[in-house]
């Protein structure tokens, strides 16, 4: 396993701009998750994909947030019209269909000025 | 809905000593899993140990073991022979009824030489 990768690792943007993050899961991991982690808190679930289907979304995922996994491989998370409250670490995780361990990537740290 | 509570924001231990991190949870699910994840500074989260709720035997992984008290909804992590590399944030998490992990706020563990 080469591990879950996320790009970029850091993103600084101005309020009102759109940003997009990418997650590449471990090869052959069909299930992919996005979480958000703010300072001093544990990660909070945002959304889940099984292959290309988005099967679960948190109420935290406002209409400014959209996630895709078009070919069932990598995923993107887009935030439109960013707000200062969106500043956080965005974590991606993946797992096989069998087993329940989610493998986490290093995260993308977003700072909204 | 599930909740996970970690009541110890910070803990410290002397190298080679034993430390126990506390976690309580609440869930209405009959089938669920519990996890401890480790998040070293500026590094990605990794799974330390997991417990299936239907198993009465406490899970162990080398120096890491859990005390799973199902009736009390308690899931503590014991680290024996603590090493400097054990210093990290430790998150307790629960999963049941859906794909998402629900995390506690974490415990920062310091290991003193």
């Amino acid at each position: 396993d080469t591990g879950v990768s996320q790009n970029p690792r850091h993103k600084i943007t101005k309020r009102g701009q759109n940003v997009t993050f990418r997650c590449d899961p471990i090869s052959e991991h069909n299930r992919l998750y996005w979480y958000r982690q703010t300072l001093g808190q544990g990660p909070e679930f945002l959304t889940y994909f099984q292959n290309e289907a988005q099967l679960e979304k948190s109420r935290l995922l406002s209409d400014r947030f959209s996630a895709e996994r078009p070919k069932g491989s990598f995923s993107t998370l887009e935030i439109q019209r960013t707000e200062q409250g969106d500043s956080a670490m965005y974590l991606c995780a993946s797992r096989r269909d069998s087993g329940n361990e989610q493998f986490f990537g290093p995260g993308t740290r977003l700072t909204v000025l | 809905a599930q909740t996970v509570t970690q009541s110890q924001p910070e803990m410290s231990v002397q190298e080679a000593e034993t430390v126990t991190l506390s976690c309580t949870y609440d869930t209405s699910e009959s089938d669920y899993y519990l996890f401890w994840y480790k998040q070293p500074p500026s590094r990605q989260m990794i799974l330390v140990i997991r417990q299936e709720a239907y198993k009465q035997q406490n899970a162990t992984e080398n120096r890491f073991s859990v005390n799973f008290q199902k009736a009390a909804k308690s899931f503590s992590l014991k680290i024996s022979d603590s090493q400097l590399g054990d210093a990290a944030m430790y998150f307790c998490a629960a999963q049941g009824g859906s794909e998402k992990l629900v995390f506690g706020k974490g415990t920062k563990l310091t290991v003193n030489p």
Side-chain angles (χ1 to χ4, degrees), chain A residues 7-12 21 89 107-111:
Chain A
N7 287 289
R9 294 292 306 277
H10 303 273
K11 179 71 176 178
I12 300 174
F21 311 139
M89 177 76 83
T108 294
R109 181 168 294 283
L110 173 66
T111 302

Side-chain angles (χ1 to χ4, degrees), chain A residues 4 9 31 33 35 37 40-43 45 48 56 91 95 99-106, chain B residues 33 35 37 39 42-47 50 52 91 95 98-106:
Chain A
V4 178
R9 294 292 306 277
R31 305 188 187 209
Y33 309 80
Y35 292 85
Q37 185 178 20
Q41 303 293 320
F45 172 79
Y48 152 65
E56 193 173 350
L91 299 171
R95 77 166 178 93
N100 54 17
E101 178 181 356
Q102 293 184 23
F103 292 80
F104 282 82
Chain B
Y33 298 86
F35 305 84
Y37 276 87
Q39 189 176 41
S42 300
R43 293 179 61 188
Q44 61 207 74
M45 195 169 309
I46 58 173
L47 179 67
R50 87 190 91 185
E52 292 90 342
F91 292 96
Q95 180 190 18
S98 78
E99 285 290 319
K100 69 179 181 182
L101 290 171
V102 176
F103 288 86
K105 290 187 176 183

Side-chain angles (χ1 to χ4, degrees), chain A residues 11-15 17-19 82 110-113:
Chain A
K11 179 71 176 178
I12 300 174
T13 191
K14 293 182 178 179
R15 190 177 55 184
Q17 298 294 304
N18 298 344
V19 294
T82 52
L110 173 66
T111 302
V112 181
L113 302 176

Side-chain angles (χ1 to χ4, degrees), chain B residues 1-5 24-29 32 34 73-74 94 102:
Chain B
Q2 296 170 353
T3 59
V4 175
T5 302
T24 58
Y25 64 92
D26 194 16
T27 180
S28 57
E29 301 293 331
Y32 56 92
L34 299 167
K73 295 184 177 178
S74 171
V102 176

